[in-house]
Amino acid sequence: MPIGLIILQYIHVLFAATLLGSALFIDLVLWPTLLRRPAPEAKGFFETSLKTTSILMGVSSGITFLSGILRGTIFGNIHSWNDFVTPYGVTFSIAFLATLAMMIHGPRIGPKLLKEVWKGKNFTPNAKAKVHSALAVSWISVLIILACMVLMHFGL
Ligand code: HEM
């Protein structure tokens, strides 16, 4: 039995689920709730949660990324540069690039929103639109990455 592969797949899916679950919670629960509370209270809450959120998502994305690379190479189908031009290799590369982009862009979202959503003790007039557009990038990346995972499962 490929025990190493099973453990690696478990780690990959565990941290991928943590990442996806955290993103869903932030987008669908945390931000809509913050925008319904008084601005100073919402700002205090968001500021306090920012560091822990960054650690949780940074660690989850890092482990998901590294375990995904190992899962596709040493423990998977990609063993030479030629394998990158197969359908599986192309899907793998898209997942690689989309996750890398998300890991670079993701940590900037929170601090950017902290600057743009509040002005003094009030919300800025277009706070809701700013939140929606900032979070849309992470949503789109996650949907693309998840589609890649499903395709790779079927050998594509
Ligand atoms: C947000 C990031 C990611 C999420 C949510 C995610 C999620 C998943 C899930 C749920 C599976 C299990 C699929 C199955 O067995 O049916 C999987 C498998 C896999 N993932 Fe990821 N993953 C992510 C990032 C990555 C990255 C960056 C890579 C590598 C570049 C990668 C490579 C793989 C590989 C090779 C498999 C096995 C596919 C197969 O069955 O051949 N993943 N991933």
Side-chain angles (χ1 to χ4, degrees):
M1 199 194 285
I3 188 75
L5 176 60
I6 292 171
I7 294 170
L8 185 67
Q9 183 93 345
Y10 184 91
I11 291 172
H12 184 66
V13 176
L14 174 67
F15 283 95
T18 306
L19 188 64
L20 192 55
S22 313
L24 280 174
F25 178 79
I26 290 169
D27 295 2
L28 300 178
V29 180
L30 182 68
W31 270 109
T33 308
L34 287 177
L35 293 172
R36 267 187 249 120
R37 301 300 302 165
E41 178 194 323
K43 189 175 185 184
F45 187 94
F46 183 66
E47 250 174 333
T48 311
S49 71
L50 202 54
K51 196 172 170 204
T52 323
T53 309
S54 320
I55 294 171
L56 177 71
M57 297 192 78
V59 169
S60 314
S61 59
I63 296 178
T64 305
F65 187 65
L66 291 178
S67 58
I69 292 170
L70 289 177
R71 173 65 186 84
T73 54
I74 295 170
F75 290 85
N77 300 337
I78 293 170
H79 300 291
S80 74
W81 291 111
N82 287 340
D83 292 328
F84 281 101
V85 291
T86 61
Y88 192 96
V90 171
T91 312
F92 180 86
S93 307
I94 295 171
F96 177 90
L97 292 174
T99 307
L100 194 65
M102 202 176 72
M103 285 169 70
I104 294 169
H105 178 70
R108 290 158 214 257
I109 299 176
K112 178 177 145 58
L113 286 176
L114 188 59
K115 266 198 223 141
E116 292 183 359
V117 166
W118 288 274
K119 192 164 189 203
K121 289 188 168 181
N122 297 306
F123 287 118
T124 48
N126 50 354
K128 213 171 181 175
K130 280 189 172 142
V131 171
H132 280 311
S133 63
L135 299 180
V137 182
S138 59
W139 267 105
I140 294 166
S141 314
V142 168
L143 290 179
I144 293 171
I145 296 162
L146 215 49
C148 292
M149 300 302 125
V150 174
L151 288 174
M152 283 193 287
H153 181 85
F154 292 102
L156 293 169

